[in-house]
Amino acid sequence: MIRAIVLELGPWTWWILGLVFLGLEILVPGVFLLWIGLAAIALGAASLMLWDMALWGWQLQLLVFAVLSVVFAIIGRRVSSAAGESDQPMLNRRAEGLVGRTATLEEPITNGQGRIRLGDTTWIVRGPELPVGARVRIVTAQSGSLTVEPA
């Protein structure tokens, strides 16, 4: 039955398969079906020209499909990694972006812990005993607290 459908549709089989992969891309997480679908559509375009050739059997078509899928996946990975560079690399690591900044203690550091205010956020700081109003420099950031030293 499948063989009859493929023979009847001819090179359009690859176009349909490519569209099925592109449709599945919407349902499946990740971006890998996009490249396989584009490979199938490209093979369908080539098949339109080569369908009547004796050499263009299903074995060669599957081999070309496998090669095109890998090539499209490699190209797609390079394109998406180049587009993934952010102009704000510390966006989701806000505390790490504070390292090196200076601030004034809002609460004294007693027993190794105090508070500073940066912008509209109050941060827990750890460091040596210091009074309110002392200037401190942020040295490290981890687990939502900042380690400071006198500035």
Side-chain angles (χ1 to χ4, degrees):
M1 178 178 141
I2 294 175
R3 186 179 193 294
I5 292 172
V6 170
L7 288 175
E8 186 176 326
L9 290 175
W12 296 103
T13 305
W14 288 110
W15 286 76
I16 293 168
L17 183 65
L19 292 175
V20 167
F21 279 127
L22 292 178
L24 287 174
E25 177 65 37
I26 296 169
L27 303 175
V28 179
V31 189
F32 62 95
L33 290 178
L34 172 68
W35 312 118
I36 296 171
L38 291 176
I41 290 173
L43 183 60
S47 291
L48 285 173
M49 296 178 284
L50 303 172
W51 193 258
D52 293 329
M53 292 179 64
L55 178 67
W56 195 245
W58 65 270
Q59 298 92 341
L60 182 60
Q61 290 180 41
L62 287 178
L63 179 67
V64 171
F65 175 65
V67 170
L68 281 177
S69 295
V70 170
V71 168
F72 274 68
I74 291 170
I75 292 170
R77 183 174 174 155
R78 287 190 181 166
V79 168
S80 64
S81 68
E85 295 174 9
S86 173
D87 59 340
Q88 296 179 354
M90 294 292 196
L91 182 63
N92 291 327
R93 300 181 311 193
R94 185 172 174 210
E96 292 176 32
L98 299 175
V99 174
R101 289 185 59 181
T102 58
T104 305
L105 284 175
E106 195 168 88
E107 291 181 16
I109 298 179
T110 54
N111 297 325
Q113 185 172 319
R115 289 189 179 273
I116 61 170
R117 178 175 294 280
L118 290 171
D120 62 348
T121 305
T122 302
W123 293 87
I124 297 173
V125 294
R126 302 188 190 293
E129 306 266 335
L130 293 169
V132 172
R135 298 285 294 165
V136 292
R137 177 177 293 108
I138 301 167
V139 181
T140 62
Q142 53 182 297
S143 304
S145 70
L146 307 171
T147 304
V148 295
E149 64 182 17

